Amino acid sequence: MLRFNDILERLTAYNPNADTDLLRKAYVFSAKVHLGQVRLSGEPYLNHPLEVAGILTQLKLDVASVATGFLHDTVEDTLATLKEIQENFGEEIAQLVDGLTKISQISLRSSEEHQAENFRKMILAMVKDIRVILIKLADRLHNMRTLKYHTPEKQLEIAQETLDIYAPLAHRLGIDWIKSELEDLAFQHLHPELYEEIRKKIAKKEKERTRYIDEVKRILVKKLYENRITGEVTGRLKQIYSIYLKMKDQNIDFDQVYDITAFRVVVNSMKECYDVLGIIHSLWKPIPGKFKDYIGLPKENMYQSLHTSVIGPYGERIEIQIRTQEMHRIAEEGIAAHWKYKQGKMLEESDDKRFTWLRQLLEWQRDLKDDREFIESVKVDLFPHEVYIFTPKGEVKQFPIGSTPVDFAYSIHSDIGNHCVGAKVNGKIVPLRYEFRSGDTVEIMTSPNQKPSKDWLKFVKTSRAKTKIRQWFTAEEREKSVTLGKEILEKELRKYDLQQAKLIKSGDLARVASEFSFQGIEDLIAAVGYGKITVNQIIGKILPQEKLEQQKEVLKEGRFKHFVHKITRSPKDALLIKGVDNVLVRYAGCCNPVPGDKVVGFITRGRGVTIHTADCQNAMDDDPHRKVEVEWDSTKEYSYPVRIRISSEDKKGLLAEISNSLSSTEANIRNARVDTTDDKKAISTFEIEIRDLNHLNKVIRALEKIKGVHRVERLRVETQAEA
């Protein structure tokens, strides 16, 4: 059994300046709160924190981490509170304990590989300090060593979770010895018969294998000496789980696994690595296709070694790894930068930078003498742009940071999103704007009466949610446009003694729809409702030109022109609209565009095309599916109303000067209002007519030259979107 003094000796061996009083205080506190508790094995519960702290000293972690090893179960399994931990041991250790407690409280059910990957990412996203993961791995390792005391059902559950979640975490953080032990222990409980079969077969030839390993080592050491290369040669049998995977992947029996013996040669320089490779290949015949140069082409986790398989003594296949001392230290103990979820997947540049930084942690831990410096270096946010949440069934889903229940609802199904009225997060009702935190369990509430709101577009984060919301409004707009189009078409056709039903039956409307490149009659009618196609354009393709002219004479066009005038407040001919002819045009009152402004058009149900300035917020928020490209026709000249506001002194004659200036710049005044303030200032608002943006700028510059005028600005009325 491990003792406190053993841990103290290990810690001070690599950290002579460690705060041993803090460590002793943590040990005493743990012993006190766990007093009387026993594990399933019958031994005192305190043995577990002792063993965890011992494993952390093997990882050469700092005092705070080892102290947390003593305290990691206190909040979860005793009456101790996080506040007590903070008061007794400070904020840093309290945060480590809190992180471990949160991970322990989630149920990591996993049955599919991609879900296991999401669990692993979620764990990392939930913690801001990588030490929490290292302490959790130490905790899981000791629990696996004592797993036999659990019920068979619990053994299977914990072993599978270890194989799915924690062994890969250990591997990707570069702690290979923990990864290997976790895999073998998990395999032992998941497949006890297979495990025992492979173990016995290995044990049966253990003496023979040991002699073989010693012989190969002697040959290699002798050759290194002859070539004046200083190096260390080690040999081992591959782990049981590794052998099992090879048997499974290659569909072979144990006797067909030839390279179960692995050797490693550690030298001082990269040049010596290649020298040793040449020596080995001159000794034994290399196996074709079994050489890998991970020095010239490092793995994504920066693992570096030369790998070769050869036909060794007595015709046995052996695998040999060759690396430098530095490469060996990084491969065996370093916190690696490997987050490769599928073979061949490359890291994004931002990820690569984060993990390059992570690789340095162990180096800093060894080099930095000040614990404070190291503590700052291990604070990390691995996934600053992502959150991971649970569905009610325990599945993990990944979302961009800032995502909300609406994003989640649309990720399930469009109907769920369209009828989403609220959500429960961790059992509590939250607003639809609630932003997820990693580890949240989310349940969506729906109502058949609920419809999407355009406000949702302001806070949803996922492209799927944005697309589905816009699609809903597009469909709703289309439905309304079809209804309105039918009314407009029916009303106007009657003026020409035409009936919509007869035109449909005769095929005339279908022909017109085709000529306008629409898919069908409904698309044509919807275009009428939108204002993209006028009824006159349709009638022009149905009636002969002669009859059309006669009927136009009969009609008193004044009434029809009045209808057009009502929805056209500025000359449409001043604009060129791409892909649309003879369309009704209106100018948005929210931004009052004038020639020279960058503009954009939006097809508006029943009102043709509404023109906004390109930087108008209402235009930015509108549905991009209804957007059309427009530009000013520089060959045409019209007058456009613009509102300006003038801040000035309140003095006699100034208003007359302003009026004269406007007149001299050929800006016609349509409306004016002057307000005065208590501090003898005047705010004058004018609606003037100008030709284009250059004309407006000329007017503003002239006004700014007037003595007593402080500021002149163009007004843009902030109203709801008109498109």
Side-chain angles (χ1 to χ4, degrees):
M1 173 185 160
L2 200 63
R3 299 172 305 163
F4 174 75
N5 285 340
D6 298 328
I7 296 170
L8 211 55
E9 286 175 15
R10 289 185 191 176
L11 178 64
T12 53
Y14 65 84
N15 188 357
N17 300 320
D19 185 351
T20 55
D21 289 340
L22 177 65
L23 203 64
R24 195 179 302 277
K25 184 179 178 182
Y27 169 68
V28 171
F29 185 90
S30 181
K32 179 182 175 182
V33 297
H34 285 300
L35 185 65
Q37 291 184 345
V38 293
R39 305 197 84 211
L40 293 175
S41 62
E43 63 183 7
Y45 194 91
L46 185 61
N47 285 4
H48 174 62
L50 273 165
E51 292 290 342
V52 172
I55 294 169
L56 295 172
T57 59
Q58 287 180 261
L59 290 170
K60 296 184 173 62
L61 289 185
D62 62 315
V63 176
S65 300
V66 180
T68 304
F70 287 123
L71 302 168
H72 73 278
D73 277 339
T74 54
V75 173
E76 186 179 4
D77 293 338
T78 76
L79 297 176
T81 64
L82 196 61
K83 185 179 179 182
E84 282 182 83
I85 300 296
Q86 185 173 346
E87 289 172 352
N88 283 280
F89 302 99
E91 180 67 24
E92 178 189 357
I93 290 177
Q95 286 182 355
L96 292 174
V97 172
D98 186 40
L100 288 155
T101 304
K102 286 176 179 175
I103 292 176
S104 297
Q105 287 172 347
I106 62 176
S107 176
L108 303 177
R109 299 183 297 276
S110 173
S111 57
E112 298 180 29
E113 184 180 347
H114 78 278
Q115 276 297 294
E117 298 293 354
N118 281 340
F119 281 127
R120 292 194 281 273
K121 289 181 77 174
M122 186 191 67
I123 289 172
L124 284 171
M126 286 178 65
V127 301
K128 304 300 179 187
D129 193 322
I130 203 70
R131 291 174 297 176
V132 173
I133 305 298
L134 301 178
I135 298 165
K136 183 63 184 178
L137 289 173
D139 172 49
R140 177 51 60 109
L141 180 58
H142 184 250
N143 281 332
M144 287 300 295
R145 288 172 178 173
T146 56
L147 191 59
K148 64 182 180 181
Y149 298 106
H150 283 278
T151 64
E153 294 79 11
K154 197 68 176 174
Q155 287 179 26
L156 290 174
E157 181 185 330
I158 296 173
Q160 189 64 56
E161 182 181 274
T162 299
L163 201 59
D164 288 340
I165 311 297
Y166 292 106
L169 272 177
H171 170 61
R172 283 158 183 165
L173 293 176
I175 315 168
D176 199 56
W177 66 272
I178 289 184
K179 169 250 187 190
S180 297
E181 188 173 349
L182 287 176
E183 285 178 340
D184 275 357
L185 289 168
F187 180 53
Q188 181 181 358
H189 288 87
L190 289 170
H191 303 285
E193 297 86 0
L194 274 173
Y195 176 89
E196 193 60 25
E197 180 185 338
I198 296 172
R199 188 196 65 79
K200 284 180 178 178
K201 287 180 178 179
I202 292 174
K204 190 175 181 181
K205 298 183 178 181
E206 187 172 359
K207 288 182 180 179
E208 180 184 326
R209 285 281 151 196
T210 302
R211 285 196 299 269
Y212 185 79
I213 289 171
D214 290 342
E215 182 175 347
V216 172
K217 283 170 59 179
R218 278 195 301 272
I219 295 170
L220 288 173
V221 169
K222 182 182 177 184
K223 283 294 182 182
L224 292 180
Y225 179 77
E226 289 174 359
N227 287 273
R228 297 181 181 180
I229 296 174
T230 302
E232 180 186 357
V233 182
T234 57
R236 61 176 176 82
L237 289 171
K238 287 189 175 180
Q239 66 173 118
I240 293 175
Y241 184 66
S242 175
I243 294 171
Y244 161 73
L245 285 181
K246 183 158 286 193
M247 292 167 59
K248 180 184 175 185
D249 293 343
Q250 299 180 13
N251 195 25
I252 57 178
D253 296 328
F254 177 84
D255 295 333
Q256 295 173 288
V257 181
Y258 296 113
D259 52 348
I260 64 172
T261 309
F263 294 87
R264 183 176 297 124
V265 182
V266 181
V267 292
N268 295 317
S269 71
M270 189 183 300
K271 178 183 179 299
E272 288 179 341
C273 290
Y274 290 98
D275 290 341
V276 170
L277 178 68
I279 292 169
I280 291 169
H281 284 182
S282 67
L283 270 173
W284 302 301
K285 183 179 179 180
I287 299 171
K290 291 292 185 180
F291 169 66
K292 299 288 184 183
D293 184 354
Y294 294 120
I295 293 179
L297 294 170
K299 291 186 179 181
E300 284 180 346
N301 65 355
M302 294 310 292
Y303 171 88
Q304 288 183 290
S305 279
L306 297 177
H307 287 199
T308 186
S309 292
V310 298
I311 306 296
Y314 314 113
E316 286 213 20
R317 295 187 181 196
I318 56 175
E319 181 185 288
I320 304 174
Q321 300 171 353
I322 311 162
R323 60 178 70 148
T324 65
Q325 294 282 356
E326 182 71 10
M327 294 171 191
H328 181 60
R329 191 148 56 88
I330 292 173
E332 289 296 298
E333 301 173 25
I335 300 173
H338 183 52
W339 225 261
K340 189 171 83 172
Y341 291 93
K342 294 179 182 177
Q343 289 295 325
K345 180 176 178 182
M346 299 299 293
L347 288 171
E348 293 181 7
E349 184 180 353
S350 58
D351 290 336
D352 191 44
K353 288 178 180 177
R354 284 202 295 275
F355 293 126
T356 298
W357 179 76
L358 264 178
R359 283 196 295 278
Q360 300 170 0
L361 290 185
L362 191 74
E363 302 305 311
W364 290 338
Q365 180 187 343
R366 291 167 183 267
D367 297 341
L368 296 176
K369 303 303 179 187
D370 183 357
D371 274 356
R372 292 290 101 192
E373 285 185 74
F374 177 62
I375 287 163
E376 288 307 311
S377 75
V378 296
K379 299 294 176 63
V380 59
D381 189 358
L382 283 174
F383 303 101
H385 306 300
E386 301 163 5
V387 290
Y388 298 84
I389 65 164
F390 283 110
T391 69
K393 293 182 179 179
E395 182 183 354
V396 172
K397 283 183 171 282
Q398 172 187 339
F399 289 93
I401 196 79
S403 292
T404 65
V406 178
D407 292 287
F408 178 66
Y410 277 107
S411 76
I412 301 170
H413 195 278
S414 300
D415 286 343
I416 302 294
N418 290 340
H419 300 297
C420 172
V421 291
K424 288 183 180 178
V425 173
N426 305 323
K428 296 180 180 178
I429 295 177
V430 297
L432 291 178
R433 288 177 176 266
Y434 171 86
E435 294 185 2
F436 293 141
R437 292 183 287 243
S438 286
D440 282 345
T441 298
V442 182
E443 181 181 354
I444 298 297
M445 297 182 291
T446 61
S447 166
N449 300 320
Q450 174 71 335
K451 295 179 180 179
S453 164
K454 281 194 175 180
D455 285 340
W456 292 1
L457 290 169
K458 296 176 182 177
F459 59 78
V460 293
K461 296 294 180 183
T462 58
S463 57
R464 176 181 172 84
K466 289 177 182 177
T467 300
K468 293 298 181 182
I469 293 167
R470 285 175 177 147
Q471 283 178 354
W472 190 90
F473 281 107
T474 299
E476 185 186 47
E477 287 286 315
R478 178 182 170 82
E479 188 177 331
K480 290 179 179 178
S481 296
V482 170
T483 302
L484 181 61
K486 286 179 179 177
E487 292 175 4
I488 294 173
L489 188 60
E490 191 69 54
K491 180 180 178 181
E492 296 303 313
L493 287 174
R494 280 201 297 268
K495 297 175 182 178
Y496 292 88
D497 295 325
L498 297 172
Q499 292 182 9
Q500 190 175 148
K502 288 184 177 179
L503 291 175
I504 292 174
K505 189 174 181 181
S506 68
D508 284 330
L509 273 188
R511 174 178 55 78
V512 172
S514 178
E515 289 182 22
F516 278 112
S517 300
F518 290 114
Q519 293 293 321
I521 295 173
E522 189 174 275
D523 289 345
L524 176 68
I525 293 173
V528 173
Y530 270 130
K532 191 174 181 180
I533 297 293
T534 65
V535 178
N536 268 2
Q537 288 175 283
I538 295 173
I539 294 171
K541 291 185 177 294
I542 294 173
L543 291 179
Q545 189 64 30
E546 186 179 321
K547 186 173 181 181
L548 186 62
E549 291 298 328
Q550 290 175 356
Q551 193 65 22
K552 280 184 178 179
E553 288 296 323
V554 175
L555 288 170
K556 292 182 179 179
E557 294 186 35
R559 189 176 178 187
F560 181 72
K561 286 181 179 178
H562 175 69
F563 169 74
V564 174
H565 180 72
K566 281 176 66 178
I567 60 175
T568 311
R569 51 175 288 267
S570 289
K572 72 180 181 66
D573 292 336
L575 285 159
L576 301 174
I577 303 175
K578 187 174 180 180
V580 182
D581 296 320
N582 299 320
V583 69
L584 305 174
V585 174
R586 68 194 310 271
Y587 292 80
C590 53
C591 52
N592 288 316
V594 298
D597 285 329
K598 289 185 178 180
V599 287
V600 63
F602 286 89
I603 296 174
T604 312
R605 179 173 52 81
R607 294 182 292 178
V609 174
T610 299
I611 309 300
H612 291 264
T613 58
D615 59 353
C616 175
Q617 187 60 49
N618 288 328
M620 293 178 183
D621 291 340
D622 220 321
D623 184 357
H625 292 97
R626 297 194 284 123
K627 184 177 177 181
V628 292
E629 293 183 23
V630 297
E631 62 181 30
W632 298 103
D633 186 350
S634 58
T635 64
K636 306 290 177 63
E637 189 173 292
Y638 297 97
S639 295
Y640 299 85
V642 171
R643 296 174 71 235
I644 58 173
R645 181 164 56 202
I646 304 171
S647 302
S648 66
E649 296 176 7
D650 180 15
K651 68 176 185 179
K652 187 176 180 180
L654 187 59
L655 184 59
E657 285 188 61
I658 292 173
S659 298
N660 288 335
S661 177
L662 289 171
S663 177
S664 66
T665 54
E666 299 179 353
N668 182 43
I669 301 173
R670 295 178 57 171
N671 207 333
R673 175 180 172 180
V674 180
D675 295 305
T676 58
T677 62
D678 294 337
D679 55 353
K680 295 188 176 180
K681 290 182 180 178
I683 305 296
S684 307
T685 305
F686 290 86
E687 184 177 341
I688 61 176
E689 287 183 349
I690 53 94
R691 293 186 298 276
D692 54 29
L693 192 59
N694 289 332
H695 187 194
L696 175 62
N697 290 334
K698 179 181 176 182
V699 170
I700 291 174
R701 284 195 299 269
L703 291 170
E704 287 174 338
K705 290 178 181 178
I706 299 173
K707 188 175 180 179
V709 170
H710 302 312
R711 185 181 180 188
V712 183
E713 58 185 323
R714 175 183 175 182
L715 289 182
R716 298 180 189 274
V717 182
E718 295 300 329
T719 63
Q720 287 187 331
E722 296 195 29

